[in-house]
């Protein structure tokens, strides 16, 4: 797996522990893909409406809408998927309005467990296989904002589980073709997102192992909010060897900053804490490299900027440069 | 709130970000501050920590539990899925389904939720006879339901909580909730499960002639026939029969389930309970917290407070005059100097970045709180890279409920 082949898959499954920036990363990957001239779909399956504010659009729903040139956004839910499924395969328009209430979905969810997930990922598969009248695929790439690491394996495994429970019938065929899609390394690739902290890294390693055990190809790991290394070796040596608060204040004042030794002492303490975090960061990066033979795609901490459409553009461009 | 005094005329990113965070300038969060949670750990008999995934719910639950135990109250912390190292420091391993004393913390027990066992216990209690209980537990749908139905984990957590409460062994029970993406799942859990099991709609076509069927008219009877045909075509043979058996074996147990769910709900809404919403200063987590606060208010649940975890602290008063703009300007002049100058430049850049980060976080938190009644707002700064031992939990506790860490330094 190299970075430059990432966007030539058909489906990217973006996952990660809560709070690491999974949805943002999925959006940036999709945007980078669309900007590279690929017709791209960005799919949300948990109804969290994470993308509407990122792209500054009205709430997303089951209809695929172009949110940027060549980028189509959709929020898929089990109820709509079931309705579409019934209509598509059974011409069941007449009963769907009655049947597809919450009870029916509750039924579907439990009648054959994992069906909700099967419906959701079944919809993704439908989009992945969909073709235009001229025979081309409708979408060159689908980016799925998948459930978090703790649940993604159950999510992707749902079709397998269904195969174990349902021994015949169209649901079985449907489940089979979904299993084929997610385990085809040419078509599907999982992209874990993490930050360089102990828990998320541990969860990423566990998740990566579980995804591989499931037969899913593992793509690059996106490492979010990486703290910058601010000093060169010489300057670091100066800091470590004990630049005095007085010296810091003097130099800062000469450069025009209002800094007294008391304040300088706080800055030095802050820098030491920052170095500790950088050291931990380096250790965790090493741990990822040690256990995973995939590249890391690092994205910087963004400090003061509030994340909005503009920052999304910047992030997408950063990804474009790496994976073009 | 009055707008803070403008500083400088450039509309640079930095000056905008700095607004509201400078010491002395009005803190956008000031109006929500109202002490800490020491009253909660001293008095509440049930503390429920809730919030989005990855915000530190388990850490907060463990810290609050330590605080209650430190006040001489016999306390148990019930966690759903603790991080491994935190679990270790609480004396838990994957197999601990019974409460265990936390090493090094007097009066504190910890336990992990075992969903399957809790569900089995529920079946045993409500089944009219052991045979029926066995029949249910052997059904493959039960086996799947026990682990996969949305809301089951939430419901079982509440069931376990109620069980512990009934036992009366503890003065204070602290529980962290599953990281569900919506509060609805959690508060609705008991009702959802009983509604589902009662499943009027399902029963009326799975076992025609049942009591529930009478209330529905012809239209539904017609619809269910169609539905049955469609459903069997989709699921294949055999599945529906198993399902029918499953629902029939639950017949007669619904009342017990419902009653219990009602009791759990009343317990959570009672004055002895306290909900603590946990968030990180990131917008997605804040959106969830806002939703939780609204939902708790709607349901009349006692909300004790909102904890913002891992908040970047605002700059120290000693640095109040060193604005991000000034720091960056000076840093710019120093980057071409010798090693010491470059080191100072880095210090100034770091200061400017952190100031802006702190300002952004505070604005995001303030924006999320507009129009909510969070009770007490407690800030817990990022104290160290990871919190997973009792000492670190004590440090968090110092912020949450004013206790000194176990080995407090003066």
């Amino acid at each position: 797996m190299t970075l430059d082949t990432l966007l030539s898959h058909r489906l990217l499954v973006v996952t990660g522990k809560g709070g690491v920036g999974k949805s943002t990363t999925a959006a940036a990957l999709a945007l980078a893909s669309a900007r590279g001239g690929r017709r791209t779909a960005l799919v949300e399956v948990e109804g969290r409406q994470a993308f509407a504010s990122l792209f500054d659009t009205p709430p997303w729903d089951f209809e695929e809408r172009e949110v940027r040139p060549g980028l189509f956004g959709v929020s898929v839910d089990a109820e709509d998927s079931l309705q579409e499924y019934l209509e598509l395969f059974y011409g069941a328009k007449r009963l769907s309005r009655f049947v597809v209430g919450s009870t029916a979905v509750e039924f579907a969810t439990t009648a054959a467990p994992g069906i909700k997930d099967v419906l959701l990922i079944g919809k993704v598969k439908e989009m992945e296989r969909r073709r235009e009248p001229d025979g081309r695929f409708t979408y060159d790439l689908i980016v799925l904002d998948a459930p978090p690491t703790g649940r993604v394996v159950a999510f992707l495994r749902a079709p397998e589980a269904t195969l174990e429970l349902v021994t015949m019938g169209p649901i079985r065929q449907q489940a089979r073709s979904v299993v084929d899609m997610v385990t085809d390394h040419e078509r599907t690739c999982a992209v874990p997102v993490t930050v360089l902290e102990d828990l998320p890294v541990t969860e990423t390693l566990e998740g990566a192992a579980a995804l591989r055990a499931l037969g899913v190809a593992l793509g690059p790991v996106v490492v979010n909010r990486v703290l910058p290394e601010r000093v060169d070796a010489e300057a670091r040596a100066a800091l470590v060897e004990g630049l005095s608060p007085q010296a810091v204040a003097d130099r800062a004042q000469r450069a025009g900053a209002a800094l007294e030794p008391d304040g300088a002492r706080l800055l030095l303490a802050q820098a030491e804490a920052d170095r500790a975090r950088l050291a931990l960061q380096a250790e965790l990066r090493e741990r990822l490299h040690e256990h995973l033979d995939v590249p890391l795609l690092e994205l910087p901490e963004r400090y003061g900027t509030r994340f909005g459409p503009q920052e999304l553009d910047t992030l997408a461009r950063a990804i474009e440069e790496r994976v073009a | 709130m009055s707008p803070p005094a403008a500083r400088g005329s450039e509309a640079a990113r930095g000056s905008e970000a700095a607004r509201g965070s400078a010491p002395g300038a009005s803190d956008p969060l000031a109006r929500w501050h109202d002490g800490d949670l020491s009253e909660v750990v001293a008095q509440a008999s049930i503390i429920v920590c809730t919030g989005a995934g990855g915000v530190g719910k388990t850490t907060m639950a463990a810290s609050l539990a330590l605080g209650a135990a430190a006040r001489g109250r016999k306390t148990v912390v019930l966690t759903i899925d603790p991080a491994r190292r935190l679990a270790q420091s609480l004396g838990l391993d994957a197999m601990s389904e019974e409460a265990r004393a936390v090493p090094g913390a007097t009066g504190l027990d910890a336990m992990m939720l075992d969903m399957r066992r809790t569900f089995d216990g529920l079946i045993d209690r409500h089944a009219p006879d052991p045979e029926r209980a066995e029949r249910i537990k052997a059904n493959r749908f039960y086996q799947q339901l026990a682990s996969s139905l949305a809301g089951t984990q939430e419901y079982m957590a509440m069931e376990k909580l109620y069980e512990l409460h009934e036992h009366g062994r503890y003065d204070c029970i602290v529980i962290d909730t599953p990281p569900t993406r919506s509060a609805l799942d959690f508060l609705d859990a008991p009702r959802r499960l009983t509604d589902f099991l009662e499943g009027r709609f399902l029963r009326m076509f799975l076992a025609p002639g049942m009591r529930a069927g009478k209330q529905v008219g012809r239209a539904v009877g017609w619809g269910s026939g169609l539905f049955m045909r469609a459903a069997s075509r989709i699921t294949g043979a055999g599945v529906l029969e198993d399902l029918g058996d499953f629902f029939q074996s639950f017949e007669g147990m619904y009342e017990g389930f419902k009653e219990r769910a009602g009791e759990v709900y009343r317990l959570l809404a009672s004055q002895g309970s306290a909900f603590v919403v946990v968030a990180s200063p990131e917008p997605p987590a804040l959106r969830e917290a806002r939703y939780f606060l609204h939902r708790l208010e709607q349901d009349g649940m006692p909300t004790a407070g909102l904890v913002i975890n891992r908040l970047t602290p605002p700059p120290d008063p000693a640095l109040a005059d060193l604005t991000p703009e000034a720091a960056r300007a000076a840093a710019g002049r120093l980057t071409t100097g010798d090693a010491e100058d470059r080191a100072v430049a880095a210090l100034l850049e770091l200061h400017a970045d952190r100031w802006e980060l702190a300002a952004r976080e505070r604005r995001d938190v303030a924006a999320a709180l507009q129009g909510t009644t969070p009770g007490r707002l407690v800030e817990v700064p990022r104290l160290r890279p990871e919190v997973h031992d009792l000492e670190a939990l004590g440090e968090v506790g110092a912020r949450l409920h004013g206790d000194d860490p176990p080995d407090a330094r003066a």
Side-chain angles (χ1 to χ4, degrees):
Chain A
M1 167 66 55
T2 56
L3 281 175
D4 41 298
T5 57
L6 180 63
L7 299 182
S8 49
H9 285 88
R10 306 266 314 128
L11 170 65
L12 299 183
V13 178
V14 184
T15 183
K17 187 175 162 58
V20 300
K22 167 176 73 75
S23 300
T24 309
T25 304
L29 279 169
L31 195 53
S33 160
R35 258 215 283 265
R38 294 173 195 81
R39 222 175 124 91
T40 307
L42 177 58
V43 184
E44 175 176 75
V45 288
E46 299 204 292
R48 287 186 303 128
Q49 289 297 341
F51 295 128
S53 69
L54 264 183
F55 285 96
D56 199 13
T57 64
W60 290 19
D61 57 23
F62 201 65
E63 195 169 313
E64 292 151 37
R65 289 197 182 85
E66 194 163 12
V67 293
R68 290 288 186 279
L71 174 58
F72 294 77
V74 61
S75 178
V76 171
D77 75 27
E79 204 167 304
D80 286 322
S81 302
L82 177 62
Q83 172 144 351
E84 187 182 73
Y85 182 84
L86 290 173
E87 285 180 16
L88 229 60
F89 290 88
Y90 299 98
K93 215 159 202 144
R94 195 158 53 115
L95 80 125
S96 57
R97 250 180 70 202
F98 166 73
V99 163
V100 184
S102 58
T103 322
V105 171
E106 203 81 59
F107 167 83
T109 309
T110 319
I115 280 238
K116 183 173 170 187
D117 290 342
V118 174
L119 285 168
L120 293 174
I121 197 157
K123 172 65 187 172
V124 173
K125 193 219 66 178
E126 182 273 315
M127 292 174 68
E128 192 259 348
R129 289 287 94 181
R130 195 190 305 158
R131 286 175 191 272
E132 295 297 290
D134 64 6
R136 287 179 307 123
F137 281 122
T138 300
Y139 293 111
D140 298 310
L141 178 70
I142 292 168
V143 180
L144 172 63
D145 184 19
T149 327
R151 230 181 66 73
V152 71
V153 171
F155 179 76
L156 295 177
R157 225 197 78 80
E160 287 263 17
T162 305
L163 287 178
E164 288 159 20
L165 204 71
V166 181
T167 47
M168 54 176 283
I171 282 242
R172 189 181 164 81
Q173 290 163 22
Q174 167 88 344
R176 178 82 264 158
S177 64
V178 172
V179 171
D180 288 347
M181 173 182 71
V182 297
T183 56
D184 183 339
H185 292 198
E186 301 278 301
R187 282 161 78 189
T188 300
C189 169
V191 181
V193 183
T194 187
V195 291
L196 290 175
E197 287 172 23
D198 188 34
L199 274 178
V201 166
T202 303
E203 211 171 274
T204 300
L205 293 175
E206 287 169 0
L211 284 166
R212 279 196 164 148
L214 198 64
V216 179
L218 195 65
V221 173
V222 176
V223 181
N224 229 333
R225 307 193 66 168
V226 177
L227 299 178
E229 183 57 77
R230 294 165 187 276
V231 286
D232 54 81
E234 266 186 9
R236 186 179 315 112
L239 276 174
V240 175
E241 280 157 25
L243 202 54
S244 75
Q246 187 64 54
V248 171
D250 286 347
R251 284 170 188 266
Q253 279 171 18
R254 239 177 289 145
L259 185 66
E260 299 300 323
D262 274 355
R265 195 169 291 117
L266 293 171
L267 291 191
L268 285 165
Q270 186 55 66
E272 205 181 314
D274 197 52
R275 266 208 306 284
R277 281 184 73 186
L278 282 170
L280 179 71
Q281 191 172 277
E283 196 183 296
L284 290 167
R285 182 187 285 120
E286 211 32 59
R287 216 168 110 204
L288 283 173
H289 276 308
E290 202 178 298
H291 292 95
L292 295 176
D293 49 354
V294 298
L296 305 183
L297 180 57
E298 300 200 9
L299 304 171
E301 167 70 277
R302 50 199 163 78
Y303 290 103
T305 18
R306 172 113 192 227
F307 208 90
Q310 222 178 342
E311 283 65 38
L312 186 63
D313 273 6
T314 313
L315 189 55
R317 234 170 272 131
I319 290 177
E320 253 179 298
E321 279 166 24
R322 299 286 302 278
V323 301
Chain B
M1 270 193 306
S2 59
R7 50 181 73 241
S9 56
E10 315 95 304
R13 193 189 74 184
S15 74
E16 205 209 311
R19 254 178 235 152
S21 79
S26 69
D27 178 353
L29 301 185
R31 57 184 282 210
W32 284 284
H33 283 145
D34 183 23
D36 59 21
L37 298 174
S38 44
E39 211 174 282
V40 173
V41 294
Q43 288 169 8
S45 51
I46 288 169
I47 302 174
V48 182
C49 288
T50 190
V55 298
K57 276 189 300 287
T58 309
T59 305
M60 294 308 143
S63 267
L64 290 167
L66 269 176
R71 282 163 177 75
R73 310 178 72 209
K74 181 71 186 152
T75 305
V76 63
V77 56
L78 171 61
T79 87
I80 308 290
D81 183 23
R84 194 171 306 142
R85 288 164 82 177
L86 181 60
Q88 277 167 5
S89 55
L90 291 174
L92 296 170
D93 58 50
M95 299 296 118
S96 346
E97 30 201 33
E98 303 296 334
R100 294 193 186 173
V102 175
T106 319
L108 179 60
D109 287 355
M111 65 189 298
M112 241 188 296
L113 178 71
D114 182 324
M115 281 218 328
R116 184 59 194 276
R117 257 176 69 133
T118 308
F119 211 151
D120 285 356
L122 197 70
I123 299 295
D124 289 339
R125 186 161 346 97
H126 290 290
D129 51 70
E131 234 166 70
R132 179 91 75 88
E134 287 318 309
R135 191 173 129 208
I136 291 173
K137 286 190 272 183
N139 186 293
R140 62 176 168 165
F141 285 105
Y142 170 74
Q143 288 163 10
Q144 296 281 350
L145 181 79
S147 54
S148 68
L149 177 64
T152 306
Q153 199 178 31
E154 289 82 349
Y155 184 42
M156 289 311 130
M158 292 306 108
E159 174 63 26
K160 193 77 208 170
L161 172 73
Y162 193 78
E163 206 181 295
L164 286 167
H165 172 76
E166 262 189 331
H167 252 273
R169 207 173 344 141
Y170 296 102
D171 303 317
C172 181
I173 304 164
V174 186
I175 180 172
D176 84 52
T177 59
T180 43
R181 63 166 201 273
S182 88
L184 231 109
D185 287 353
F186 168 63
L187 285 175
D188 284 348
R191 200 174 39 221
R192 270 175 64 152
L193 189 78
T194 47
D195 278 0
F196 174 76
L197 288 175
E198 194 177 33
R200 279 164 203 279
F201 177 81
L202 293 173
R203 286 195 293 153
M204 87 196 162
F205 67 78
L206 287 170
M210 271 187 186
R211 197 161 24 97
K214 283 188 195 151
Q215 294 160 12
V216 273
R218 273 167 40 97
V220 173
W222 167 82
S224 62
L226 266 182
F227 179 68
M228 274 297 275
R229 256 179 286 151
S232 4
R233 271 196 291 177
I234 296 168
T235 59
V239 173
L240 287 180
E241 284 77 359
D242 272 26
L243 192 68
D245 181 57
F246 175 69
F247 280 100
Q248 279 177 35
S249 27
F250 266 101
E251 183 65 17
M253 287 170 62
Y254 306 114
E255 280 312 309
F257 269 71
K258 255 181 131 161
E259 212 169 284
R260 182 78 159 187
E263 282 163 13
V264 172
Y265 197 86
R266 278 191 292 282
L267 174 65
L268 289 175
S270 74
Q271 279 313 305
S273 301
F275 282 80
V276 174
V277 180
V278 185
S280 67
E282 294 296 315
L286 290 168
R287 273 200 300 273
E288 295 280 297
R290 185 182 168 82
Y291 186 77
F292 267 85
L293 289 169
H294 275 305
R295 191 58 217 282
L296 289 169
E297 196 181 349
Q298 256 175 28
D299 282 47
M301 294 288 161
T303 307
L306 169 67
V307 176
I308 308 289
N309 192 22
R310 295 196 291 258
L311 198 62
T312 307
D316 188 277
L319 292 166
D321 292 333
L322 188 56
T323 63
E325 304 81 356
R328 285 193 206 286
R333 284 173 211 121
L334 289 165
T335 43
T336 50
D338 59 14
E340 280 80 7
D341 271 355
R342 295 200 304 277
V344 174
L347 293 178
L348 293 168
E349 291 278 0
L350 176 62
H351 166 70
D353 278 348
R354 287 187 58 87
W355 177 309
E356 286 170 7
L357 177 61
R360 166 171 69 91
E361 289 177 356
R362 299 187 91 72
R363 270 178 315 171
D364 285 348
V365 173
L369 286 179
Q370 282 306 331
T372 64
T373 42
R376 293 174 192 82
L377 174 71
V378 182
E379 299 177 14
V380 177
R382 183 190 288 273
L383 295 163
R384 45 171 95 193
E386 313 281 344
V387 174
H388 48 64
D389 55 16
L390 287 187
E391 191 193 330
L393 286 176
E395 281 178 22
V396 171
R399 308 293 175 138
L400 283 181
H401 45 72
D403 283 359
D404 287 332
D407 61 339
R409 281 150 280 167

